[in-house]
Amino acid sequence: MPLTPTDAITGSAYTQQSGVGAFNVVQIEHAEAIVAGAERAGLPVVLQISENTALYHGSLAPIGLASLSLARAASVPVAVHLDHAESPELVHEAVELGFTSVMFDASKLPYGQNLAATREITDHCHGADVWVEAELGEVGGKDGAHAPGVRTDPDEARAFVDATGVDALAVAVGSSHAMLTRDAVLDFALIERLRAVVGVPLVLHGSSGVGDTDLAKAVAAGMTKVNISTHLNKIFTRTVREQLAAAPEVADPRKYLGPARRAVESEVARLLGVLAGV
């Protein structure tokens, strides 16, 4: 099926107040597992590639084009999204490659500079029918630069969305990036207030640190796009370790990457059901 625009996936979920899983791709096995999990669940999904992953691969194109190819071949709606891009040049490259959305992160800048830079990116992306997510209010744990206690102010969030024209907003409500335990404490009342005033889909970053029950509660409170990365990486890595421990003589990486891919596929399917309330 053709590549699905991110706004079609998130817009439908926003209207229905359900959740959409957005899972990070580190290597092609991740992309394959995420798409297969979405097909197993019969639900849409967003493939995310971060700026750090593009740097890991040397450029955005190799992993980006592979993800776009998998998305186009999927039997369910799959969007391809650039995650946490601080470089305008990388955003432009993602647009040229055919990504359906970008997350431009200027949250390290003072408010006025964040607003101006995000507005410029939004104008560029909207000219190519590309959906834009931005961040206001630092999300804890991102490269050690954000304070976990930060929370997004609803009035400031609304003003930022109005001024920049972004299509979705990543908000700080208690989660932190790269958490290895699922015990983050979310502010559900704040999520409800943000949903009531912001007017665009809200995005929960750092969702690996949130347990199933609270993921469902976050969606019910007003979250739409839910980003998960570390949780899947833990499953992938644990499975590789188990496979190598059971057969230390193995040399063919397919022997241990294949089971890891299947384990992530199963978890993606399960999590998509949690977020969709099915």
Side-chain angles (χ1 to χ4, degrees):
M1 64 187 299
L3 197 64
T4 303
T6 305
D7 62 353
I9 293 175
T10 56
S12 175
Y14 178 72
T15 300
Q16 299 171 18
Q17 199 155 335
S18 64
V20 172
F23 302 103
N24 282 65
V25 172
V26 178
Q27 55 198 33
I28 192 169
E29 284 83 4
H30 289 86
E32 292 167 338
I34 294 162
V35 171
E39 290 178 326
R40 185 193 295 193
L43 292 167
V45 75
V46 179
L47 296 177
Q48 301 198 142
I49 300 170
S50 70
E51 182 168 316
N52 286 336
T53 292
L55 291 171
Y56 168 77
H57 287 284
S59 69
L60 181 61
I63 193 66
L65 291 172
S67 297
L68 286 163
S69 178
L70 288 163
R72 291 189 179 100
S75 62
V76 294
V78 180
V80 180
H81 175 78
L82 177 66
D83 187 38
H84 274 291
E86 298 181 11
S87 162
E89 292 76 20
L90 190 65
V91 170
H92 295 172
E93 183 181 359
V95 170
E96 291 169 6
L97 288 173
F99 281 44
T100 56
S101 59
V102 304
M103 189 272 180
F104 182 62
D105 183 359
S107 65
K108 293 179 183 176
L109 299 176
Y111 177 83
Q113 293 179 38
N114 182 355
L115 192 154
T118 303
R119 174 79 254 183
E120 186 174 343
I121 288 292
T122 302
D123 288 344
H124 176 80
C125 290
H126 283 180
D129 293 325
V130 172
W131 183 91
V132 179
E133 172 189 335
E135 181 173 312
L136 175 66
E138 296 169 327
V139 176
K142 181 63 177 176
D143 298 330
H146 300 322
V150 169
R151 296 291 182 271
T152 300
D153 176 80
D155 293 332
E156 191 176 65
R158 177 65 190 180
F160 183 82
V161 168
D162 288 345
T164 58
V166 296
D167 304 293
L169 191 68
V171 291
V173 294
S175 57
S176 297
H177 290 96
M179 284 186 67
L180 297 176
T181 56
R182 302 182 76 198
D183 54 4
V185 179
L186 300 183
D187 188 335
F188 299 108
L190 176 57
I191 295 171
E192 290 176 351
R193 293 199 300 274
L194 288 164
R195 165 83 185 201
V197 304
V198 169
V200 297
L202 302 176
V203 185
L204 184 65
H205 284 231
S207 306
S208 291
V210 183
D212 287 1
T213 299
D214 283 357
L215 285 176
K217 287 175 65 177
V219 170
M223 282 293 171
T224 297
K225 179 172 173 279
V226 177
N227 292 8
I228 298 174
S229 178
T230 300
H231 177 65
L232 297 183
N233 289 339
K234 284 175 58 184
I235 291 170
F236 191 97
T237 302
R238 183 179 68 236
T239 306
V240 168
R241 287 193 177 110
E242 290 169 352
Q243 293 295 313
L244 290 175
E249 74 286 353
V250 69
D252 185 345
R254 291 169 295 187
K255 300 294 186 182
Y256 50 86
L257 294 181
R261 181 176 59 189
R262 290 191 293 274
V264 170
E265 173 189 335
S266 296
E267 184 64 359
V268 164
R270 194 189 68 79
L271 286 170
L272 287 174
V274 170
L275 297 174
V278 296

